[in-house]
Amino acid sequence: MAQTNADREPPALAIHGYPVWDRTVRGFHWINFLCVVALAGIGTVILWADDLGIGNDGKLLLKTVHVWFGYLLAVN
């Protein structure tokens, strides 16, 4: 008995997974993300330091940490 077109199953398609980003690229992107979030957060705290009751020593520490996150972002 001959099969009709309605009886035939379509051929199975091979599905391949291709990594879009490898681990190294993802690591660099996460470092960039964390640096940007840290820079924005620390910058906001520095901006409102007087209202938050942070003294000059605290501001100096915040600015130093802010600069180091900027260096990390630039190097990354």
Side-chain angles (χ1 to χ4, degrees):
M1 185 160 121
Q3 289 184 342
T4 64
N5 285 340
D7 294 336
R8 288 189 220 159
E9 290 185 25
L13 298 175
I15 298 174
H16 300 284
Y18 298 102
V20 178
W21 292 339
D22 58 355
R23 287 183 183 196
T24 307
V25 173
R26 275 189 272 187
F28 280 111
H29 284 144
W30 274 110
I31 291 170
N32 282 347
F33 170 76
L34 294 174
C35 284
V36 168
V37 169
L39 287 167
I42 295 169
T44 302
V45 171
I46 291 170
L47 180 66
W48 297 98
D50 292 333
D51 293 335
L52 294 172
I54 298 173
N56 287 334
D57 292 338
K59 287 182 195 177
L60 183 62
L61 176 64
L62 285 170
K63 289 178 183 181
T64 303
V65 173
H66 188 76
V67 167
W68 280 106
F69 271 110
Y71 288 155
L72 180 60
L73 180 68
V75 168
N76 191 37

